Amino acid sequence: MSDAKSIEQGREAWQRDTLEPRLAEAPERKHPFTTQAMGWPVDRLYTPQNLDAIGFDYVRDVGFPGEYPYTRGTDPNGYRSDLWTMMQVSGFGTGEDWAERGRYMLDQGLTGLFLEYDLPTTNGLDSDHPLAVGEVGRAGIAVDSLDDMEALLDLPFDKLQRLTSICNGPQTVNLAMILAALKRRGIDPGSFTLQMPNAILIEYTCVGRYIFPPDHGLRVAIDALEYSIQNHPNWIPISVVSAQLYAAYANPVQELAFSFAIAKEYLDAALARGFDIDTLAPYFSFITGIDMDFFEAVGKLRAYRKVWARIMREEYGAKRPESEQLSLTASPGTMSLTLQQPLNNIARLGIQMLACVIGNGGHAMNTPLHDEAHALPTEDAIAVGAAVQNIVAHETGVADTVDPLAGSYYVETMTRRIEDAVFEELAKIESMGGALAAIKTGYFQKELARQQYERTRAIEDGSRVLVGVNHSVREGEKRNIEIHKHDPDVEHRQIRKLERLRAERDGIATRRALDRLRDAARSGENLVPPCLEAVNAYATHGEMCGALRDVFGEYHPDSLTTGIS
Amino acid sequence: MARRTRVLLAKLGLDAHTIGVNVIAQALRDAGMEVIYSGLKQTPEMVANTAIQEDVDVIGMSSLSAAHMTHFPRVVELLRERGAGDKLVIGGGVIPDEDSAALLEKGIERVFTMGTATTEIIAYIEAWQAGRGAGRDT
């Protein structure tokens, strides 16, 4: 084993005798080299000296997989026992339209589905609301009533391990719809995992699909969380979707720090209802997005697990290993996909999947698809996306040993640097009063808006290379892929169905159930049971959200908190 | 003295994708224009009202879902009905080619799809303003 002194001497000699002659004949192609998102300098060479400089300690910093601090992964055997759940995001049309697509996706070998609802649904409006024009069934599935949810859950549940339902604003309403529909279909809720991102604080930060003011939005989320933990202990009732922060151009440090600050708001709100940390924390999960800088991505995934474990142990006093083990879903990033030369995106997805697996990115992964910059994915793109996951899983060998980049001088340096910077940013957010305060004052939004502008400028001035956009551009290029066609008849069909439902239901029972929901909203009791009653009385999604709006009001952020001020 | 070009940037309907509008707002400001941002969930009536009240020169509407086909043309109609048809109305976002062609026929002067350089949009607005008489005097 070489000691520090001989490495230092060797390095000096190498620099003088070997490197410098090479630099004299071939100067470097860039100055400085920096990481893509953080802009941190990248050294020419990483050696054991870098590990000495950060005081790297194998047991303390890395340890063993399945053990604290989980840098090497939460599964002691990595992907050698189980591969990840292979998922894709999908949603369009009516419940019936989408169920057909869902069955196709499961036939492609996927084992989990992400449900995206259309904008009227996520904004708590029925399909016949004036603001819904043009949007019904467009960017997701239209769900107005129990009938729609029952139609969309016409899936082979024996093939489905996980269903992720993204309806962050009205989560209790959406949960009640799912519960009632499962019951009517005779499906055992314990036979699969329902993941509710329930990610309302991310919506206020950057996605925008909120309905109620933030404090009420948080209460709705914690109601869904509480009900789920008490009644469906195998489900995942809350996920911090840090992928949305990444998709809003947060750098890895912001992504982790904002996400952990948000997770702490949820934790504190739930602890205040009497949960203890070791009951609560194992229910928390995170969904991250992977960018193109391979080593930043791997470092981020490793730091993600380690920071969570430390927060749990050091700040919350968690005792159970399950509390410290980060539950993570990773997805290659939509923000690195280009509209231009869309087939290039397949290469990007492959590289990002590789980073996901090498960084031990989680128990479930989903691939976005190469045509997503154009429109909703086509069936061909779904098949290619599923193939990308299987190629990485079965053809590359990267899933065959656990955390293969551990000990890399560069990767360990990167992991530590991200870890330290995240704690620094978290301290800053805490000094502002935490995530809710940072949202209300617009701090998160402004930070993201700045990143968005800087990244755009870097692409425009060429300092950030994007092939097909500012590099290898082919003049007069034509779009060379088929894109998904929106069915213009969806809106009409959905509205007719809704009108029929309103005409045929027992209107008095519906009204009574909605009054009861308003009372529950005022009284502070958990909203899921009254939502279930209302769903079963055929109250529509928009009517239930309307009842909650009557009590909570609507959120209209001022320009200060939009990020553009 | 020529006043600065005033631009209203607007998000109509339920579409909440804001990166494009965030970036354009900062780029236009850096180019010396005055930018007013509507916020989310605007109706065509709200946008037309704001455009008239704020006396803007340019209205830029961003759409990354379906809002463009119904809402963009309605804004143009409302402006014309209220005698404000001289304002430059442009759109941007994820807008398929066939939709762009239809929007141009309905009075949207130009549609910038995703990936357009901010410099191109700035140059377009400046050229339009110059063609109109180098801004109005205040």
Side-chain angles (χ1 to χ4, degrees):
Chain A
M1 215 50 182
S2 40
D3 59 24
K5 190 154 177 63
S6 60
I7 292 170
E8 194 184 334
Q9 285 167 349
R11 184 180 178 123
E12 279 166 13
W14 163 77
Q15 185 140 347
R16 184 181 62 236
D17 303 335
T18 310
L19 174 68
E20 275 168 17
R22 172 63 181 149
L23 286 175
E25 63 181 29
E28 293 194 321
R29 64 191 157 79
K30 270 205 251 189
H31 184 75
F33 285 85
T34 52
T35 66
Q36 202 178 59
M38 297 309 305
W40 287 338
V42 178
D43 293 351
R44 173 177 300 115
L45 193 70
Y46 288 80
T47 69
Q49 292 173 303
N50 295 89
L51 298 187
D52 289 345
I54 59 170
F56 179 78
D57 179 298
Y58 180 81
V59 172
R60 191 197 60 213
D61 285 311
V62 179
F64 293 90
E67 292 180 4
Y68 191 84
Y70 303 98
T71 314
R72 303 203 68 175
T74 51
D75 188 322
N77 206 23
Y79 296 120
R80 286 167 65 100
S81 297
D82 297 314
L83 288 168
W84 55 94
T85 303
M86 297 187 185
M87 308 185 69
Q88 277 179 16
V89 179
S90 173
F92 64 87
T94 62
E96 289 85 354
D97 297 339
W98 186 82
E100 196 182 325
R101 171 64 72 96
R103 291 190 291 267
Y104 173 83
M105 292 170 76
L106 293 171
D107 282 344
Q108 302 309 301
L110 295 167
T111 48
L113 300 171
F114 262 80
L115 299 179
E116 282 276 10
Y117 300 98
D118 67 6
L119 287 168
T121 306
T122 50
N123 282 284
L125 304 173
D126 282 332
S127 295
D128 57 353
H129 190 279
L131 272 174
V133 177
E135 299 289 1
V136 176
R138 182 125 187 165
I141 313 160
V143 174
D144 291 318
S145 74
L146 176 54
D147 284 347
D148 297 328
M149 187 59 88
E150 200 182 345
L152 92 82
L153 292 182
D154 185 7
L155 300 170
F157 272 78
D158 55 323
K159 290 186 190 168
L160 193 66
Q161 295 171 9
R162 186 190 289 193
L163 190 66
T164 301
S165 179
I166 307 172
C167 202
N168 297 325
Q171 190 68 66
T172 52
V173 174
N174 179 253
L175 171 59
M177 287 254 185
I178 292 173
L179 288 169
L182 289 174
K183 189 163 186 191
R184 287 238 300 234
R185 286 211 159 271
I187 294 154
D188 171 15
S191 69
F192 71 104
T193 302
L194 178 75
Q195 178 177 33
M196 290 181 279
N198 203 1
I200 191 61
L201 296 186
I202 295 281
E203 296 286 342
Y204 297 117
T205 302
C206 60
V207 191
R209 295 171 302 188
Y210 42 71
I211 304 172
F212 318 117
D215 293 300
H216 297 292
L218 183 60
R219 180 254 173 119
V220 170
I222 301 301
D223 279 0
L225 167 88
E226 182 181 51
Y227 183 90
S228 178
I229 293 176
Q230 288 167 349
N231 296 280
H232 302 285
N234 62 321
W235 286 3
I236 304 174
I238 198 149
S239 298
V240 179
V241 189
S242 73
Q244 295 283 13
L245 293 166
Y246 153 72
Y249 297 5
N251 64 39
V253 170
Q254 292 168 328
E255 183 192 331
L256 268 57
F258 295 5
S259 296
F260 289 133
I262 284 171
K264 287 178 174 190
E265 292 287 2
Y266 296 140
L267 280 167
D268 295 345
L271 289 170
R273 294 196 187 187
F275 283 105
D276 72 273
I277 189 67
D278 282 313
T279 306
L280 193 59
Y283 284 103
F284 274 63
S285 76
F286 295 76
I287 301 175
T288 185
I290 296 303
D291 209 348
M292 281 303 285
D293 186 317
F294 189 85
F295 295 106
E296 266 185 352
V298 172
K300 174 172 95 175
L301 290 168
R302 300 175 85 245
Y304 215 136
R305 290 187 292 269
K306 190 177 178 190
V307 173
W308 175 251
R310 285 189 54 195
I311 290 173
M312 280 300 113
R313 182 172 287 196
E314 295 168 16
E315 293 179 38
Y316 284 87
K319 298 279 183 283
R320 284 175 65 197
E322 292 82 354
S323 303
E324 298 167 348
Q325 292 166 355
L326 181 80
S327 165
L328 188 64
T329 299
S331 66
T334 44
M335 293 324 291
S336 59
L337 304 187
T338 61
L339 187 73
Q340 298 86 344
Q341 303 179 10
L343 293 174
N344 295 354
N345 292 327
I346 299 172
R348 294 191 175 96
L349 292 172
I351 292 161
Q352 293 171 338
M353 265 314 290
L354 208 58
C356 277
V357 177
I358 289 178
N360 222 323
H363 314 295
M365 302 194 201
N366 70 278
T367 29
L369 301 159
H370 66 272
D371 57 358
E372 276 189 36
H374 288 273
L376 294 172
T378 56
E379 292 198 348
D380 277 350
I382 288 170
V384 171
V388 166
Q389 296 209 33
N390 280 304
I391 289 167
V392 172
H394 303 294
E395 296 187 18
T396 63
V398 295
D400 296 351
T401 183
V402 187
D403 187 28
L405 291 186
S408 151
Y409 311 121
Y410 183 34
V411 170
E412 294 299 357
T413 305
M414 177 74 81
T415 304
R416 170 69 78 78
R417 186 155 188 188
I418 293 173
E419 177 191 351
D420 290 347
V422 169
F423 276 111
E424 216 170 282
E425 178 67 20
L426 264 172
K428 186 172 167 189
I429 296 164
E430 237 128 85
S431 74
M432 296 173 191
L436 208 51
I439 287 167
K440 289 177 184 170
T441 59
Y443 170 72
F444 287 169
Q445 296 90 318
K446 280 195 198 72
E447 285 291 292
L448 295 174
R450 186 171 54 79
Q451 289 278 122
Q452 291 159 8
Y453 189 37
E454 281 172 10
R455 180 151 162 172
T456 306
R457 284 213 303 208
I459 292 166
E460 288 186 5
D461 71 21
S463 56
R464 178 173 181 145
V465 171
L466 264 187
V467 171
V469 175
N470 61 11
H471 189 284
S472 312
V473 177
R474 296 190 293 263
E475 286 305 322
E477 190 193 354
K478 280 273 168 236
R479 188 168 71 201
N480 55 353
I481 54 166
E482 286 297 313
I483 68 166
H484 173 84
K485 281 278 174 216
H486 175 64
D487 172 3
D489 192 43
V490 168
E491 190 158 320
H492 179 67
R493 281 189 282 137
Q494 187 66 21
I495 291 175
R496 291 242 339 240
K497 203 172 155 192
L498 181 59
E499 283 168 350
R500 210 165 44 236
L501 176 104
R502 289 211 183 102
E504 287 171 6
R505 70 186 177 188
D506 174 354
I508 294 168
T510 311
R511 264 203 310 280
R512 202 173 293 141
L514 288 169
D515 285 341
R516 156 110 180 78
L517 180 57
R518 277 186 207 93
D519 290 344
R522 281 188 207 99
S523 77
E525 70 181 280
N526 192 300
L527 291 170
V528 179
C531 281
L532 253 174
E533 285 168 35
V535 169
N536 285 318
Y538 279 105
T540 64
H541 180 86
E543 289 164 348
M544 287 187 274
C545 294
L548 296 175
R549 240 184 235 112
D550 291 344
V551 179
F552 297 151
E554 268 187 49
Y555 185 51
H556 296 286
D558 57 27
S559 65
L560 184 71
T561 49
T562 56
I564 310 174
S565 59
Chain B
M1 191 186 136
R3 73 166 198 176
R4 294 202 292 163
T5 304
R6 284 167 73 87
V7 183
L8 171 65
L9 293 179
K11 292 292 296 183
L12 289 117
L14 300 174
D15 167 35
H17 293 87
T18 53
I19 294 176
V21 79
N22 280 350
V23 168
I24 301 298
Q26 293 171 87
L28 298 185
R29 272 183 198 151
D30 276 4
M33 300 181 201
E34 245 180 277
V35 176
I36 298 153
Y37 173 51
S38 71
L40 294 173
K41 299 182 195 176
Q42 301 285 302
T43 60
E45 288 73 16
M46 291 157 84
V47 171
N49 282 344
T50 309
I52 291 166
Q53 273 165 19
E54 296 284 343
D55 190 25
V56 299
D57 306 293
V58 182
I59 297 142
M61 298 181 284
S62 153
S63 166
L64 285 90
S65 62
H68 53 275
M69 289 309 280
T70 41
H71 299 326
F72 286 13
R74 182 72 189 134
V75 170
V76 173
E77 271 174 31
L78 288 166
L79 289 172
R80 285 179 183 164
E81 279 169 21
R82 297 177 198 182
D86 62 330
K87 298 181 191 302
L88 173 65
V89 180
I90 54 181
V94 175
I95 297 175
D97 296 345
E98 39 291 17
D99 289 1
S100 290
L103 292 173
L104 296 182
E105 276 177 27
K106 290 177 178 165
I108 286 81
E109 287 293 326
R110 180 79 183 261
V111 175
F112 296 98
T113 52
M114 206 168 108
T116 307
T118 53
T119 45
E120 189 183 329
I121 298 167
I122 292 164
Y124 177 80
I125 295 174
E126 284 173 347
W128 175 83
Q129 190 67 302
R132 195 193 190 205
R136 287 168 292 171
D137 292 333
T138 47

